[in-house]
Amino acid sequence: DSGVTQTPKHLITATGQRVTLRCSPRSGDLSVYWYQQSLDQGLQFLIQYYNGEERAKGNILERFSAQQFPDLHSELNLSSLELGDSALYFCASSVSGIDTGELFFGEGSRLTVL
Amino acid sequence: GEDVEQSLFLSVREGDSSVINCTYTDSSSTYLYWYKQEPGAGLQLLTYIFSNMDMKQDQRLTVLLNKKDKHLSLRIADTQTGDSAIYFCAERKGGATNKLIFGTGTLLAVQP
């Protein structure tokens, strides 16, 4: 158990819909990262937050947005969903940017868009 | 680009050594990592190496780093069926972020 909690574990929805994925980082971790894992794209970095502020941005679509709340949990919002958004979405956390950089991953939220 | 490359598949027999290779992109990367993903699970850190090291050994795992060629390898000695999983290498980009760029992953299949 990594200490990172993601909900829901599985989600099935239709094209055009909007979903919210939630992540609770390990106790004490200030950074949260979102990754998308799909068969054709592999593991792609989406976005990072550190103590409530956006720190780094990757291949995140404009239809997607994220935020980190004062209690440090994070949400990833996916809107106008397309079939190609079906993937496993991972959240990871780490203490800060000045340590060894180890990321602790949750078990992922599997999104299926029909 | 940001592509970190790995071979897709490796099959070994139980008891043999496995060597998984990775080519990364950023010569300024400070840390390089090996993560393991078992079926239906998230990624778990196996080991990491700091960029000023050539080798790191941790029980059955040996990491070799060739900075000149930007090549990283993971050797698993006495491979067991429980080692069957997808193995990802990752590089930590420079700057004030822990953003990791992951490789494509190598599926290791261990035959009994």
Side-chain angles (χ1 to χ4, degrees), chain A residues 23-74:
Chain A
C23 170
S24 294
R26 286 189 328 154
S27 176
D29 284 358
L30 299 177
S31 272
V32 169
Y33 309 75
W34 287 97
Y35 283 83
Q36 179 195 57
Q37 185 179 36
S38 60
L39 283 175
D40 56 341
Q41 296 287 324
L43 198 62
Q44 295 286 316
F45 170 73
L46 296 179
I47 198 164
Q48 176 200 358
Y49 281 84
Y50 175 76
N51 204 20
E53 294 191 1
E54 184 182 304
R55 175 63 68 91
K57 210 166 188 175
N59 302 323
I60 187 166
L61 300 172
E62 284 191 10
R63 300 184 285 110
F64 296 179
S65 64
Q67 54 183 328
Q68 186 180 27
F69 295 86
D71 66 353
L72 301 177
H73 91 271
S74 178

Short mmCIF file of all heavy atoms in Angstrom, two decimals, chain A residues 23-74:
data_model
loop_
_atom_site.label_atom_id
_atom_site.label_comp_id
_atom_site.label_asym_id
_atom_site.label_seq_id
_atom_site.Cartn_x
_atom_site.Cartn_y
_atom_site.Cartn_z
N CYS A 23 -7.88 12.22 -5.84
CA CYS A 23 -6.64 11.64 -5.33
C CYS A 23 -6.33 12.23 -3.96
O CYS A 23 -6.34 13.45 -3.78
CB CYS A 23 -5.49 11.94 -6.29
SG CYS A 23 -3.85 11.55 -5.66
N SER A 24 -6.02 11.34 -3.02
CA SER A 24 -5.51 11.78 -1.72
C SER A 24 -4.06 11.34 -1.62
O SER A 24 -3.77 10.14 -1.68
CB SER A 24 -6.33 11.16 -0.59
OG SER A 24 -7.64 11.65 -0.60
N PRO A 25 -3.14 12.28 -1.48
CA PRO A 25 -1.72 11.91 -1.44
C PRO A 25 -1.35 11.27 -0.11
O PRO A 25 -2.15 11.24 0.83
CB PRO A 25 -1.01 13.26 -1.60
CG PRO A 25 -1.98 14.25 -1.03
CD PRO A 25 -3.34 13.73 -1.35
N ARG A 26 -0.14 10.77 -0.04
CA ARG A 26 0.39 10.25 1.21
C ARG A 26 0.43 11.37 2.23
O ARG A 26 0.65 12.54 1.88
CB ARG A 26 1.81 9.73 1.03
CG ARG A 26 1.99 8.47 0.32
CD ARG A 26 3.43 7.96 0.41
NE ARG A 26 4.40 9.05 0.47
CZ ARG A 26 5.60 8.94 1.02
NH1 ARG A 26 5.96 7.81 1.60
NH2 ARG A 26 6.43 9.96 1.01
N SER A 27 0.25 10.99 3.49
CA SER A 27 0.30 11.98 4.55
C SER A 27 1.65 12.69 4.52
O SER A 27 2.71 12.04 4.52
CB SER A 27 0.09 11.28 5.89
OG SER A 27 0.22 12.19 6.94
N GLY A 28 1.62 14.01 4.46
CA GLY A 28 2.85 14.79 4.47
C GLY A 28 3.40 15.14 3.11
O GLY A 28 4.29 16.00 3.00
N ASP A 29 2.91 14.49 2.06
CA ASP A 29 3.39 14.80 0.71
C ASP A 29 2.72 16.06 0.19
O ASP A 29 1.50 16.19 0.24
CB ASP A 29 3.13 13.64 -0.25
CG ASP A 29 4.10 12.50 -0.05
OD1 ASP A 29 5.00 12.62 0.80
OD2 ASP A 29 3.97 11.49 -0.77
N LEU A 30 3.51 16.97 -0.34
CA LEU A 30 2.98 18.24 -0.81
C LEU A 30 2.71 18.25 -2.32
O LEU A 30 1.95 19.08 -2.80
CB LEU A 30 3.97 19.37 -0.49
CG LEU A 30 4.28 19.57 1.00
CD1 LEU A 30 5.31 20.67 1.18
CD2 LEU A 30 3.01 19.90 1.78
N SER A 31 3.38 17.37 -3.03
CA SER A 31 3.24 17.35 -4.49
C SER A 31 2.31 16.23 -4.95
O SER A 31 2.37 15.12 -4.43
CB SER A 31 4.60 17.13 -5.15
OG SER A 31 5.26 18.33 -5.37
N VAL A 32 1.49 16.56 -5.93
CA VAL A 32 0.62 15.58 -6.56
C VAL A 32 0.85 15.63 -8.07
O VAL A 32 0.98 16.71 -8.64
CB VAL A 32 -0.86 15.87 -6.23
CG1 VAL A 32 -1.77 15.00 -7.10
CG2 VAL A 32 -1.15 15.59 -4.77
N TYR A 33 0.90 14.46 -8.67
CA TYR A 33 1.12 14.36 -10.11
C TYR A 33 0.00 13.52 -10.70
O TYR A 33 -0.45 12.57 -10.08
CB TYR A 33 2.44 13.63 -10.42
CG TYR A 33 3.63 14.17 -9.68
CD1 TYR A 33 3.82 13.89 -8.33
CD2 TYR A 33 4.60 14.94 -10.33
CE1 TYR A 33 4.91 14.38 -7.64
CE2 TYR A 33 5.70 15.42 -9.63
CZ TYR A 33 5.84 15.14 -8.30
OH TYR A 33 6.92 15.64 -7.62
N TRP A 34 -0.39 13.84 -11.91
CA TRP A 34 -1.36 13.03 -12.65
C TRP A 34 -0.69 12.49 -13.91
O TRP A 34 -0.04 13.23 -14.65
CB TRP A 34 -2.59 13.85 -13.02
CG TRP A 34 -3.49 14.15 -11.87
CD1 TRP A 34 -3.53 15.29 -11.12
CD2 TRP A 34 -4.49 13.27 -11.31
NE1 TRP A 34 -4.49 15.19 -10.14
CE2 TRP A 34 -5.10 13.96 -10.25
CE3 TRP A 34 -4.94 11.99 -11.64
CZ2 TRP A 34 -6.13 13.41 -9.48
CZ3 TRP A 34 -5.96 11.44 -10.88
CH2 TRP A 34 -6.55 12.14 -9.81
N TYR A 35 -0.89 11.20 -14.13
CA TYR A 35 -0.38 10.53 -15.31
C TYR A 35 -1.53 9.77 -15.98
O TYR A 35 -2.44 9.28 -15.32
CB TYR A 35 0.71 9.51 -14.96
CG TYR A 35 2.06 10.11 -14.65
CD1 TYR A 35 2.35 10.60 -13.38
CD2 TYR A 35 3.05 10.18 -15.63
CE1 TYR A 35 3.59 11.14 -13.10
CE2 TYR A 35 4.30 10.72 -15.36
CZ TYR A 35 4.56 11.20 -14.09
OH TYR A 35 5.79 11.74 -13.82
N GLN A 36 -1.44 9.67 -17.30
CA GLN A 36 -2.39 8.89 -18.07
C GLN A 36 -1.66 7.71 -18.70
O GLN A 36 -0.60 7.89 -19.32
CB GLN A 36 -3.01 9.76 -19.17
CG GLN A 36 -4.00 9.04 -20.07
CD GLN A 36 -4.30 9.83 -21.34
OE1 GLN A 36 -3.39 10.16 -22.10
NE2 GLN A 36 -5.55 10.17 -21.56
N GLN A 37 -2.21 6.52 -18.51
CA GLN A 37 -1.59 5.33 -19.11
C GLN A 37 -2.55 4.71 -20.10
O GLN A 37 -3.65 4.28 -19.74
CB GLN A 37 -1.19 4.31 -18.05
CG GLN A 37 -0.43 3.12 -18.63
CD GLN A 37 -0.01 2.11 -17.57
OE1 GLN A 37 -0.72 1.88 -16.60
NE2 GLN A 37 1.17 1.52 -17.74
N SER A 38 -2.14 4.64 -21.35
CA SER A 38 -2.95 3.98 -22.37
C SER A 38 -2.04 3.08 -23.19
O SER A 38 -0.82 3.23 -23.16
CB SER A 38 -3.63 5.01 -23.28
OG SER A 38 -2.66 5.81 -23.93
N LEU A 39 -2.65 2.16 -23.92
CA LEU A 39 -1.87 1.18 -24.67
C LEU A 39 -1.03 1.85 -25.74
O LEU A 39 0.12 1.47 -25.97
CB LEU A 39 -2.79 0.14 -25.30
CG LEU A 39 -3.33 -0.91 -24.33
CD1 LEU A 39 -4.32 -1.82 -25.04
CD2 LEU A 39 -2.19 -1.73 -23.73
N ASP A 40 -1.60 2.86 -26.41
CA ASP A 40 -0.86 3.44 -27.53
C ASP A 40 0.09 4.56 -27.12
O ASP A 40 1.10 4.80 -27.78
CB ASP A 40 -1.85 3.94 -28.60
CG ASP A 40 -2.85 4.92 -28.03
OD1 ASP A 40 -3.03 4.95 -26.80
OD2 ASP A 40 -3.47 5.67 -28.81
N GLN A 41 -0.19 5.24 -26.01
CA GLN A 41 0.64 6.39 -25.61
C GLN A 41 1.59 6.07 -24.45
O GLN A 41 2.44 6.88 -24.12
CB GLN A 41 -0.24 7.57 -25.21
CG GLN A 41 -1.09 8.13 -26.34
CD GLN A 41 -0.26 8.90 -27.33
OE1 GLN A 41 0.70 9.57 -26.97
NE2 GLN A 41 -0.60 8.78 -28.61
N GLY A 42 1.41 4.92 -23.82
CA GLY A 42 2.24 4.62 -22.66
C GLY A 42 1.84 5.48 -21.48
O GLY A 42 0.69 5.89 -21.34
N LEU A 43 2.81 5.80 -20.63
CA LEU A 43 2.56 6.55 -19.40
C LEU A 43 2.93 8.01 -19.67
O LEU A 43 4.10 8.35 -19.80
CB LEU A 43 3.40 5.96 -18.28
CG LEU A 43 3.00 6.30 -16.85
CD1 LEU A 43 1.61 5.78 -16.55
CD2 LEU A 43 3.99 5.66 -15.89
N GLN A 44 1.91 8.85 -19.74
CA GLN A 44 2.13 10.26 -20.10
C GLN A 44 1.88 11.15 -18.89
O GLN A 44 0.85 11.05 -18.23
CB GLN A 44 1.16 10.66 -21.22
CG GLN A 44 1.39 9.93 -22.53
CD GLN A 44 2.62 10.42 -23.25
OE1 GLN A 44 2.86 11.62 -23.35
NE2 GLN A 44 3.43 9.50 -23.76
N PHE A 45 2.81 12.06 -18.64
CA PHE A 45 2.68 13.03 -17.58
C PHE A 45 1.65 14.08 -17.98
O PHE A 45 1.72 14.64 -19.09
CB PHE A 45 4.03 13.68 -17.31
CG PHE A 45 3.98 14.87 -16.40
CD1 PHE A 45 3.76 14.73 -15.05
CD2 PHE A 45 4.17 16.15 -16.92
CE1 PHE A 45 3.72 15.84 -14.21
CE2 PHE A 45 4.13 17.26 -16.09
CZ PHE A 45 3.91 17.11 -14.73
N LEU A 46 0.72 14.36 -17.10
CA LEU A 46 -0.30 15.36 -17.39
C LEU A 46 0.00 16.68 -16.68
O LEU A 46 0.10 17.73 -17.32
CB LEU A 46 -1.68 14.85 -16.97
CG LEU A 46 -2.22 13.64 -17.72
CD1 LEU A 46 -3.58 13.23 -17.17
CD2 LEU A 46 -2.29 13.89 -19.21
N ILE A 47 0.11 16.63 -15.36
CA ILE A 47 0.24 17.88 -14.62
C ILE A 47 0.74 17.58 -13.20
O ILE A 47 0.53 16.49 -12.68
CB ILE A 47 -1.11 18.63 -14.59
CG1 ILE A 47 -0.92 20.11 -14.24
CG2 ILE A 47 -2.12 17.95 -13.69
CD1 ILE A 47 -2.13 20.97 -14.58
N GLN A 48 1.40 18.57 -12.60
CA GLN A 48 1.88 18.46 -11.23
C GLN A 48 1.43 19.68 -10.44
O GLN A 48 1.47 20.81 -10.93
CB GLN A 48 3.41 18.40 -11.19
CG GLN A 48 3.98 18.38 -9.77
CD GLN A 48 5.44 18.79 -9.67
OE1 GLN A 48 6.07 19.06 -10.68
NE2 GLN A 48 5.98 18.83 -8.47
N TYR A 49 1.02 19.44 -9.20
CA TYR A 49 0.73 20.52 -8.26
C TYR A 49 1.65 20.38 -7.05
O TYR A 49 2.00 19.27 -6.65
CB TYR A 49 -0.73 20.47 -7.80
CG TYR A 49 -1.65 21.06 -8.83
CD1 TYR A 49 -2.11 20.29 -9.89
CD2 TYR A 49 -2.03 22.40 -8.76
CE1 TYR A 49 -2.94 20.85 -10.85
CE2 TYR A 49 -2.86 22.96 -9.72
CZ TYR A 49 -3.30 22.17 -10.76
OH TYR A 49 -4.11 22.73 -11.73
N TYR A 50 2.03 21.51 -6.52
CA TYR A 50 2.84 21.53 -5.31
C TYR A 50 2.19 22.51 -4.35
O TYR A 50 2.10 23.71 -4.64
CB TYR A 50 4.28 21.93 -5.61
CG TYR A 50 5.14 22.08 -4.38
CD1 TYR A 50 5.60 20.96 -3.70
CD2 TYR A 50 5.47 23.34 -3.87
CE1 TYR A 50 6.38 21.08 -2.55
CE2 TYR A 50 6.23 23.47 -2.72
CZ TYR A 50 6.68 22.34 -2.07
OH TYR A 50 7.45 22.46 -0.94
N ASN A 51 1.74 22.00 -3.22
CA ASN A 51 1.15 22.82 -2.15
C ASN A 51 0.09 23.77 -2.68
O ASN A 51 0.04 24.94 -2.31
CB ASN A 51 2.26 23.60 -1.44
CG ASN A 51 1.86 23.99 -0.03
OD1 ASN A 51 0.95 23.39 0.56
ND2 ASN A 51 2.53 24.98 0.51
N GLY A 52 -0.73 23.25 -3.57
CA GLY A 52 -1.87 24.01 -4.07
C GLY A 52 -1.65 24.77 -5.35
O GLY A 52 -2.61 25.25 -5.96
N GLU A 53 -0.40 24.83 -5.80
CA GLU A 53 -0.13 25.60 -7.02
C GLU A 53 0.40 24.70 -8.12
O GLU A 53 1.13 23.74 -7.87
CB GLU A 53 0.91 26.69 -6.72
CG GLU A 53 0.39 27.74 -5.76
CD GLU A 53 1.33 28.94 -5.70
OE1 GLU A 53 2.35 28.95 -6.40
OE2 GLU A 53 1.02 29.87 -4.92
N GLU A 54 0.03 25.02 -9.34
CA GLU A 54 0.52 24.26 -10.49
C GLU A 54 2.03 24.43 -10.60
O GLU A 54 2.55 25.54 -10.61
CB GLU A 54 -0.17 24.75 -11.76
CG GLU A 54 0.19 23.95 -13.00
CD GLU A 54 -0.49 24.51 -14.24
OE1 GLU A 54 -1.71 24.63 -14.26
OE2 GLU A 54 0.25 24.85 -15.20
N ARG A 55 2.76 23.30 -10.72
CA ARG A 55 4.22 23.35 -10.77
C ARG A 55 4.75 23.00 -12.16
O ARG A 55 5.73 23.58 -12.62
CB ARG A 55 4.80 22.41 -9.74
CG ARG A 55 6.30 22.24 -9.73
CD ARG A 55 7.04 23.53 -9.40
NE ARG A 55 6.85 23.96 -8.05
CZ ARG A 55 7.63 23.62 -7.03
NH1 ARG A 55 8.64 22.81 -7.22
NH2 ARG A 55 7.42 24.11 -5.82
N ALA A 56 4.14 22.03 -12.80
CA ALA A 56 4.60 21.63 -14.14
C ALA A 56 3.42 21.08 -14.92
O ALA A 56 2.49 20.54 -14.36
CB ALA A 56 5.70 20.57 -14.04
N LYS A 57 3.50 21.30 -16.21
CA LYS A 57 2.41 20.87 -17.08
C LYS A 57 2.99 20.00 -18.19
O LYS A 57 4.05 20.30 -18.73
CB LYS A 57 1.74 22.10 -17.69
CG LYS A 57 0.29 21.94 -17.99
CD LYS A 57 -0.34 23.31 -18.25
CE LYS A 57 -1.83 23.21 -18.35
NZ LYS A 57 -2.47 24.52 -18.49
N GLY A 58 2.28 18.93 -18.51
CA GLY A 58 2.72 18.04 -19.57
C GLY A 58 1.72 18.02 -20.69
O GLY A 58 1.19 19.04 -21.10
N ASN A 59 1.43 16.81 -21.18
CA ASN A 59 0.54 16.67 -22.33
C ASN A 59 -0.92 16.66 -21.93
O ASN A 59 -1.66 15.76 -22.28
CB ASN A 59 0.88 15.37 -23.07
CG ASN A 59 2.32 15.34 -23.51
OD1 ASN A 59 2.88 16.34 -23.91
ND2 ASN A 59 2.93 14.17 -23.43
N ILE A 60 -1.35 17.66 -21.23
CA ILE A 60 -2.74 17.70 -20.76
C ILE A 60 -3.59 18.48 -21.75
O ILE A 60 -3.24 19.58 -22.17
CB ILE A 60 -2.83 18.30 -19.33
CG1 ILE A 60 -4.25 18.17 -18.79
CG2 ILE A 60 -2.30 19.73 -19.29
CD1 ILE A 60 -4.35 18.42 -17.30
N LEU A 61 -4.70 17.86 -22.15
CA LEU A 61 -5.59 18.49 -23.11
C LEU A 61 -6.33 19.66 -22.46
O LEU A 61 -6.51 19.70 -21.25
CB LEU A 61 -6.61 17.46 -23.61
CG LEU A 61 -6.04 16.23 -24.31
CD1 LEU A 61 -7.15 15.21 -24.57
CD2 LEU A 61 -5.35 16.63 -25.61
N GLU A 62 -6.79 20.57 -23.31
CA GLU A 62 -7.54 21.73 -22.78
C GLU A 62 -8.86 21.29 -22.16
O GLU A 62 -9.40 21.99 -21.29
CB GLU A 62 -7.80 22.74 -23.90
CG GLU A 62 -6.56 23.54 -24.26
CD GLU A 62 -6.88 24.70 -25.18
OE1 GLU A 62 -8.07 25.01 -25.38
OE2 GLU A 62 -5.93 25.30 -25.71
N ARG A 63 -9.38 20.16 -22.59
CA ARG A 63 -10.64 19.62 -22.03
C ARG A 63 -10.44 19.09 -20.61
O ARG A 63 -11.40 18.77 -19.92
CB ARG A 63 -11.17 18.48 -22.90
CG ARG A 63 -11.48 18.89 -24.33
CD ARG A 63 -12.08 17.72 -25.09
NE ARG A 63 -11.11 16.71 -25.46
CZ ARG A 63 -11.08 15.49 -24.93
NH1 ARG A 63 -11.92 15.14 -23.97
NH2 ARG A 63 -10.18 14.61 -25.34
N PHE A 64 -9.18 18.96 -20.21
CA PHE A 64 -8.88 18.43 -18.89
C PHE A 64 -8.40 19.57 -18.00
O PHE A 64 -7.70 20.48 -18.45
CB PHE A 64 -7.78 17.37 -18.97
CG PHE A 64 -8.12 16.13 -19.74
CD1 PHE A 64 -7.17 15.12 -19.89
CD2 PHE A 64 -9.35 15.95 -20.34
CE1 PHE A 64 -7.46 13.97 -20.59
CE2 PHE A 64 -9.66 14.80 -21.06
CZ PHE A 64 -8.69 13.80 -21.18
N SER A 65 -8.72 19.47 -16.73
CA SER A 65 -8.21 20.45 -15.78
C SER A 65 -8.00 19.76 -14.44
O SER A 65 -8.56 18.69 -14.19
CB SER A 65 -9.17 21.63 -15.61
OG SER A 65 -10.40 21.18 -15.05
N ALA A 66 -7.20 20.36 -13.61
CA ALA A 66 -6.93 19.77 -12.31
C ALA A 66 -6.78 20.88 -11.29
O ALA A 66 -6.58 22.05 -11.63
CB ALA A 66 -5.67 18.91 -12.35
N GLN A 67 -6.87 20.50 -10.04
CA GLN A 67 -6.57 21.43 -8.97
C GLN A 67 -6.16 20.67 -7.73
O GLN A 67 -6.48 19.49 -7.58
CB GLN A 67 -7.76 22.35 -8.67
CG GLN A 67 -9.06 21.66 -8.38
CD GLN A 67 -10.20 22.66 -8.17
OE1 GLN A 67 -9.99 23.77 -7.68
NE2 GLN A 67 -11.40 22.29 -8.54
N GLN A 68 -5.46 21.37 -6.85
CA GLN A 68 -5.08 20.80 -5.56
C GLN A 68 -5.65 21.70 -4.48
O GLN A 68 -5.45 22.92 -4.51
CB GLN A 68 -3.57 20.69 -5.42
CG GLN A 68 -3.14 19.97 -4.15
CD GLN A 68 -1.63 19.86 -4.01
OE1 GLN A 68 -0.89 20.67 -4.53
NE2 GLN A 68 -1.19 18.84 -3.29
N PHE A 69 -6.33 21.11 -3.55
CA PHE A 69 -7.06 21.84 -2.54
C PHE A 69 -6.20 22.09 -1.30
O PHE A 69 -5.13 21.49 -1.15
CB PHE A 69 -8.33 21.06 -2.18
CG PHE A 69 -9.30 20.96 -3.32
CD1 PHE A 69 -9.19 19.94 -4.26
CD2 PHE A 69 -10.31 21.89 -3.48
CE1 PHE A 69 -10.07 19.85 -5.33
CE2 PHE A 69 -11.19 21.80 -4.54
CZ PHE A 69 -11.07 20.79 -5.46
N PRO A 70 -6.65 22.98 -0.40
CA PRO A 70 -5.85 23.26 0.80
C PRO A 70 -5.51 22.04 1.64
O PRO A 70 -4.47 22.01 2.30
CB PRO A 70 -6.74 24.25 1.58
CG PRO A 70 -7.52 24.95 0.52
CD PRO A 70 -7.79 23.90 -0.53
N ASP A 71 -6.36 21.02 1.61
CA ASP A 71 -6.03 19.82 2.38
C ASP A 71 -5.11 18.89 1.58
O ASP A 71 -4.83 17.77 2.01
CB ASP A 71 -7.29 19.06 2.80
CG ASP A 71 -8.07 18.48 1.62
OD1 ASP A 71 -7.71 18.77 0.46
OD2 ASP A 71 -9.03 17.73 1.85
N LEU A 72 -4.66 19.35 0.44
CA LEU A 72 -3.68 18.71 -0.45
C LEU A 72 -4.25 17.60 -1.34
O LEU A 72 -3.52 17.08 -2.18
CB LEU A 72 -2.45 18.18 0.32
CG LEU A 72 -1.70 19.25 1.09
CD1 LEU A 72 -0.55 18.63 1.88
CD2 LEU A 72 -1.16 20.32 0.14
N HIS A 73 -5.53 17.26 -1.19
CA HIS A 73 -6.06 16.30 -2.14
C HIS A 73 -6.22 17.00 -3.50
O HIS A 73 -6.25 18.24 -3.58
CB HIS A 73 -7.37 15.68 -1.65
CG HIS A 73 -8.62 16.38 -2.05
ND1 HIS A 73 -9.20 17.39 -1.31
CD2 HIS A 73 -9.42 16.21 -3.14
CE1 HIS A 73 -10.29 17.82 -1.92
NE2 HIS A 73 -10.46 17.12 -3.02
N SER A 74 -6.30 16.21 -4.52
CA SER A 74 -6.36 16.76 -5.87
C SER A 74 -7.49 16.12 -6.66
O SER A 74 -7.90 14.99 -6.37
CB SER A 74 -5.03 16.51 -6.60
OG SER A 74 -5.08 17.00 -7.94
#
